[in-house]
């Protein structure tokens, strides 16, 4: 095949993949529904993507409404989310088929235990921050959290099963506003 | 390089030979014409390529680090545009090289590696900007697939080596995250046209040697990872056959390599066979293996298990065909190393069906001892001190660890160490004398 043509295809693909990533994330941020998930930040590091605050959204398992559903490890799952009276989102059920409406997040199953309980990882586990600020963010969270009262949450946009973090809040203020 | 050294030595000798009347001036000139100039250009090209590639790698990694700093003063749009900057720069450099037909080794390898790092950097940075979850396996797979065309477009081998490392890492991450790594095999096949092209041109040039070494290493890791492991212990047979094939392929088709480092298959084959055989002298290898311990459900995929049998069957078939071919040649050293998979199959049957690990442990203890003796004898016969010492090392390690296991008394252990030491000294003295006599 012509070398120039191969080059043109390669460049197109190399530019298309990151562009597509950007376009799909922007679509979710602009059109997604807003949810608040309680979270707890800690401070690890990613060699390629730099410093981030790891988030633990607390809830990692759900008791199924239908006992007959069997999940395999790594299987795609749609977790249904619902907002409680205090305004925080929780996972209330898990389905194998894409549900109607927009109140679900697509993720994978860690494993199924005790027959009717499914463990999963919500794809809301990283909040990237500047190298100097990430450790301070963790410190800030520790100082602001008292026993039985965790004051950190993430604002999340959800659209067609994709969940995207919009911001990390401590004491109802964006984490960036503390620095 | 070795050839150049030899020719340089010959050219230095020519005036002496003419002076002594051994060669006439015309014959010396004919020799010069036949061998041609010593080729310093090749060396300069390689040096340039090395500096070019190191430079490209440093710049690429530096850019990734700068961006990873996370410039939170910039807006999302500004940071997104920045993610494209190194990618566009590297594409522009590639474009210049292709359209201006700049084809030096340094440009081809350096620009390709820079582009490879730039595409990885761009995807990573976008994941950072949008706080995407850290699914490293899909990141690696996208990155590698967008990089592999560079190998063919620029006829560059370093991206091929990086690609092999990348897909091996992907297969590991994929298996850890609960998926399976069967895709590794079609992915690795994408490198083969490039590899075979260079291998058929000159198998002992540095490019195919590097690629062969990378392939051997990646296969060594990926075979273990991509096996679904529904049948416990199948790895014993698969790895034994794999290293045997490496060794015998080198023996049959790449035996005229001028130097040891130019025989990566042989080196990995011998090293792999020896280390594996040593591992097989331990009891834990042979415990709980075979059909009685068949695993299914949870993280084990039955369908992917079928691929295990295919891989095992194919490797064993190739290995045994090559072993039969080798046995016909009646060469003690080569046959001794290559029979290892047959022993592995026999021992697997003993332990898998008969639940008897002691026979396997004994067979492999004796086999490793035998390999040590064969190395010592071949070294002495061929007068190669290195092989003799390797043989003594093999025996030494085996005896040393076995007698630590057996919890013998201090006196017995002392005697064993004295015997091992004496073997080293006697063999070396014997060989040194032989060498001296020869000189």
């Amino acid at each position: 095949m012509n070398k120039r043509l191969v080059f043109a295809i390669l460049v197109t693909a190399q530019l298309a993949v990151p562009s597509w990533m950007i376009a799909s994330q922007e679509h979710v941020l602009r059109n997604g529904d807003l949810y608040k998930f309680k979270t707890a930040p800690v401070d690890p590091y990613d060699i390629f993507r730099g410093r981030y605050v790891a988030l633990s959204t607390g809830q990692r398992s759900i008791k199924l409404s239908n006992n007959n559903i069997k999940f395999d490890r790594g299987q795609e799952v749609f977790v249904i989310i619902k907002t409680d009276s205090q305004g925080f989102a929780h996972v209330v059920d898990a389905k194998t088929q894409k549900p109607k409406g927009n109140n679900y997040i697509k993720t994978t199953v860690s494993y199924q235990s005790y027959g009717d309980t499914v463990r999963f990882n919500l794809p809301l586990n990283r909040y990237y921050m500047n190298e100097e600020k990430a450790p301070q963010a963790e410190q800030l969270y520790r100082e602001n959290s008292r026993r039985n009262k965790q004051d950190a949450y993430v604002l999340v946009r959800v659209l067609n099963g994709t969940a995207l973090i919009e911001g990390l809040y401590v004491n109802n203020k964006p984490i960036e506003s503390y620095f | 390089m070795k050839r150049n050294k030899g020719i340089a030595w010959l050219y230095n000798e020519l005036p002496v030979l003419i002076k002594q009347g051994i060669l006439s001036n015309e014959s010396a000139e004919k020799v010069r014409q036949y061998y041609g100039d010593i080729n310093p250009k090749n060396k300069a090209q390689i040096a340039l390529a090395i500096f070019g590639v190191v430079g490209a790698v440093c710049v690429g990694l530096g850019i990734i680090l700068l961006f990873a700093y996370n410039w939170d003063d910039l807006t999302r749009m500004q940071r997104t545009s920045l993610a494209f900057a190194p990618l566009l720069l590297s594409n522009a450099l590639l474009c210049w090289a292709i359209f201006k037909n700049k084809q030096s080794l340094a440009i081809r390898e350096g620009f390709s590696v820079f582009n490879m790092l730039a595409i990885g950097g761009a995807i990573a940075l976008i994941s950072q900007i949008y706080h995407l979850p850290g699914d490293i396996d899909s990141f690696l797979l996208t990155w590698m697939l967008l990089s592999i065309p560079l190998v063919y477009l620029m006829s560059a081998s370093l991206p091929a080596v990086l690609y092999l490392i990348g897909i091996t890492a992907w297969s590991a991450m994929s298996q850890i995250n609960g998926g399976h790594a069967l895709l590794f095999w079609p992915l690795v096949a994408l490198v083969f046209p490039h590899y075979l092209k260079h291998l058929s041109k000159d198998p002992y040039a540095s490019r195919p040697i590097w690629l062969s070494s990378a392939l051997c290493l990646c296969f060594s890791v990926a075979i273990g990872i991509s096996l679904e492991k529904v049948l416990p212990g199948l790895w014993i047979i698969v790895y034994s056959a794999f290293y045997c094939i490496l060794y015998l392929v080198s023996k049959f088709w790449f035996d005229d390599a001028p130097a040891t480092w130019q025989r990566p298959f042989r080196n990995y084959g011998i090293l792999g066979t020896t280390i594996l055989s040593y591992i097989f002298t331990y009891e834990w290898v042979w415990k709980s293996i075979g059909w009685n311990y068949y695993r299914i459900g949870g993280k084990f995929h039955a369908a992917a298990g079928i691929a295990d049998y295919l891989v095992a069957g194919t490797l064993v078939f190739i290995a045994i065909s090559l072993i039969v071919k080798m046995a016909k040649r009646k060469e003690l050293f080569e046959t001794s190393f290559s029979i290892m998979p047959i022993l592995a199959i026999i021992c697997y049957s003993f332990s898998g069906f008969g639940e008897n690990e002691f026979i396997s442990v004994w067979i492999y203890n004796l086999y490793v001892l035998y390999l040590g003796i064969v190395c010592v004898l071949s070294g002495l016969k061929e007068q190669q001190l290195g092989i003799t010492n390797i043989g003594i090392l093999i025996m030494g390690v085996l005896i040393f660890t076995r007698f630590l296991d057996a919890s013998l008394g201090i006196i017995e252990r002392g005697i064993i160490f004295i015997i091992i030491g004496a073997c080293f000294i006697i063999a070396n003295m014997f060989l040194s004398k032989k060498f001296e006599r020869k000189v």
Side-chain angles (χ1 to χ4, degrees):
Chain A
M1 214 196 299
N2 187 320
K3 207 171 181 179
R4 293 175 184 193
L5 180 68
V6 176
F7 174 67
I9 296 170
L10 176 68
V11 172
T12 313
Q14 286 191 344
L15 295 178
V17 169
S19 305
W20 169 251
M21 282 173 75
I22 293 169
S24 48
Q25 313 310 329
E26 284 293 334
H27 180 61
V28 175
L29 285 179
R30 280 176 199 172
N31 305 309
D33 295 339
L34 207 52
Y35 290 92
K36 280 200 276 188
F37 282 88
K38 281 208 166 184
T39 192
V42 282
D43 167 42
Y45 180 72
D46 182 304
I47 190 165
F48 292 108
R49 285 164 282 195
R51 192 64 79 167
Y52 66 89
V53 181
L55 304 172
S56 160
T57 39
Q59 191 180 2
R60 286 180 183 170
S61 63
I62 182 69
K63 218 169 172 178
L64 295 170
S65 58
N66 180 353
N67 287 354
N68 298 325
I69 304 178
K70 288 279 167 283
F71 286 102
D72 285 332
R73 192 179 132 112
Q75 186 183 332
E76 191 177 76
V77 62
F78 300 90
V79 295
I80 313 292
I81 44 177
K82 208 173 170 185
T83 305
D84 65 13
S85 55
Q86 292 176 316
F88 289 105
H90 296 276
V91 174
V92 291
D93 201 2
K95 307 256 183 214
T96 48
Q97 298 293 322
K98 198 173 177 176
K100 280 179 190 156
N102 198 27
N103 61 333
Y104 66 93
I105 298 174
K106 195 166 85 175
T107 181
T108 49
V109 172
S110 303
Y111 59 89
Q112 187 167 7
S113 55
Y114 311 117
D116 58 351
T117 303
V118 162
R119 289 187 73 87
F120 53 85
N121 288 313
L122 280 184
L124 306 171
N125 52 7
R126 289 184 176 206
Y127 190 77
Y128 290 92
M129 287 195 80
N130 179 289
E131 188 170 33
E132 282 115 41
K133 292 175 186 166
Q136 294 173 26
E138 190 197 346
Q139 185 67 24
L140 186 75
Y141 165 74
R142 279 180 202 277
E143 284 164 9
N144 277 283
S145 67
R146 295 180 297 276
R147 195 186 297 191
N148 299 329
K149 188 174 190 306
Q150 291 179 318
D151 276 340
Y153 62 88
V154 278
L155 266 190
V156 176
R157 289 273 177 193
V158 177
L159 184 67
N160 298 331
T162 306
L164 218 53
I165 298 175
E166 202 172 74
L168 172 61
Y169 288 73
V170 175
N171 264 345
N172 285 323
K173 282 200 283 187
I175 190 115
E176 288 83 1
S177 68
Y178 287 92
F179 305 112
Chain B
M1 239 181 272
K2 187 136 181 149
R3 182 180 178 273
N4 275 346
K5 248 188 202 171
I7 298 169
W9 174 84
L10 181 66
Y11 285 3
N12 273 337
E13 289 290 302
L14 284 179
V16 183
L17 295 172
I18 295 167
K19 207 174 167 186
Q20 299 283 333
I22 298 166
L23 278 180
S24 67
N25 273 332
E26 290 109 47
S27 326
E29 195 48 42
K30 272 185 187 164
V31 169
R32 278 205 187 89
Q33 274 173 8
Y34 177 74
Y35 285 109
D37 289 336
I38 302 167
N39 190 7
K41 204 179 143 203
N42 197 18
K43 266 188 193 170
Q45 258 192 4
I46 291 173
L48 269 176
I50 291 171
F51 287 127
V53 167
V54 172
V57 168
C58 288
V59 171
L61 290 176
I63 290 174
I64 290 178
L65 279 179
L66 273 184
F67 285 173
Y69 177 74
N70 203 332
W71 302 90
D72 50 7
D73 298 335
L74 302 178
T75 65
R76 202 165 71 221
M77 273 323 283
Q78 283 167 331
R79 283 192 284 161
T80 324
S81 318
L82 259 184
F84 280 95
L87 184 57
L88 288 172
L89 174 67
S90 71
N91 281 335
L93 289 173
L94 284 179
C95 184
W96 174 77
I98 289 168
F99 284 83
K100 293 274 177 190
N101 211 17
K102 303 282 180 193
Q103 293 294 321
S104 80
L105 193 63
I107 285 181
R108 282 188 285 124
E109 299 284 347
F111 284 10
S112 316
V113 169
F114 181 52
N115 180 256
M116 200 168 174
L117 290 173
I119 180 71
I123 300 175
L125 194 60
I126 290 164
S127 319
Q128 185 208 70
I129 294 167
Y130 290 97
H131 308 293
L132 299 185
D135 45 352
I136 188 106
D137 44 343
S138 63
F139 163 65
L140 279 171
L141 187 61
T142 317
W143 183 11
M144 290 306 122
L145 285 175
L146 285 174
S147 307
I148 184 69
L150 287 167
V151 172
Y152 297 96
L153 189 68
M154 302 303 281
S155 185
S157 293
L158 204 60
V161 172
L162 293 178
Y163 171 82
L164 286 172
I165 297 171
I167 56 169
T168 308
W170 166 80
S171 60
M173 296 316 294
S174 171
Q175 193 79 305
I176 288 169
N177 292 340
H180 53 73
L182 281 182
L183 193 61
F184 175 82
W185 302 109
L187 284 176
V188 82
L190 293 178
V191 175
F192 267 77
H194 173 78
Y195 171 59
L196 293 176
K197 185 181 136 198
H198 288 287
L199 194 70
S200 57
K201 216 191 273 173
D202 177 8
Y204 310 125
S206 47
R207 204 185 266 257
I209 298 292
W210 274 97
L211 284 167
S212 300
S213 303
L215 274 172
C216 288
L217 273 177
C218 290
F219 271 48
S220 297
V221 178
I223 285 178
I225 291 169
S226 64
L227 286 180
E228 193 56 26
K229 305 167 194 77
V230 286
L231 184 60
L234 196 63
W235 66 274
I236 295 171
I237 293 173
V238 170
Y239 270 105
S240 306
F242 171 65
Y243 287 118
C244 168
I245 292 171
L246 282 188
Y247 177 58
L248 290 180
V249 161
S250 174
K251 183 69 201 163
F252 288 125
W253 290 286
F254 305 103
D255 203 31
D256 49 350
T260 309
W261 71 270
Q262 285 162 312
R263 296 175 176 177
F265 291 143
R266 180 179 189 271
N267 300 340
Y268 281 105
I270 289 188
L271 192 70
T273 302
T274 312
I275 293 177
L276 265 188
S277 305
Y278 176 71
I279 293 173
F280 293 172
T281 61
Y282 284 91
E283 212 179 311
W284 62 264
V285 175
W286 306 102
K287 277 189 171 167
S288 312
I289 59 171
W291 290 105
N292 295 342
Y293 298 91
Y294 186 76
R295 302 183 278 210
I296 204 69
K299 62 178 186 166
F300 300 104
H301 302 272
I306 295 169
D308 287 14
Y309 310 133
L310 276 175
V311 170
T314 314
L315 287 178
V316 166
F317 176 74
I318 300 172
I320 289 184
S321 318
L322 291 173
I323 293 167
V324 171
K325 196 172 167 182
M326 188 70 241
K328 284 180 191 159
R329 289 200 185 178
K330 292 182 181 156
E331 290 176 42
L332 179 71
F333 183 85
E334 284 76 5
T335 311
S336 305
F337 271 90
S338 54
I339 53 164
M340 153 69 163
I342 296 178
L343 287 184
I345 294 168
I346 294 172
C347 291
Y348 189 81
S349 314
F350 274 134
S351 306
F353 296 109
E355 303 248 344
N356 189 340
E357 56 263 14
F358 293 105
I359 296 178
S360 308
V361 167
W362 267 104
I363 288 178
Y364 269 96
N365 270 294
L366 291 173
Y367 179 61
V368 173
L369 190 66
Y370 168 74
L371 284 184
I373 294 168
V374 165
C375 278
V376 172
L377 293 178
S378 308
L380 290 174
K381 198 177 157 200
E382 311 278 333
Q383 300 205 350
Q384 286 180 318
L385 204 58
I387 293 182
T388 309
N389 280 336
I390 289 173
I392 296 175
L393 185 72
I394 293 173
M395 289 196 286
V397 170
L398 178 76
I399 296 169
F400 180 79
T401 45
R402 274 305 77 80
F403 279 88
L404 282 183
D405 282 357
S407 60
L408 276 180
I410 293 172
I411 296 170
E412 288 89 340
R413 270 184 265 168
I415 293 169
I416 294 296
F417 287 131
I418 292 168
I419 294 173
I420 295 169
C423 285
F424 267 101
I425 295 165
I426 294 167
N428 277 296
M429 272 168 49
F430 179 68
L431 263 186
S432 306
K433 270 188 188 160
K434 256 192 166 181
F435 280 128
E436 269 168 30
R437 231 178 286 149
K438 214 182 172 191
V439 172

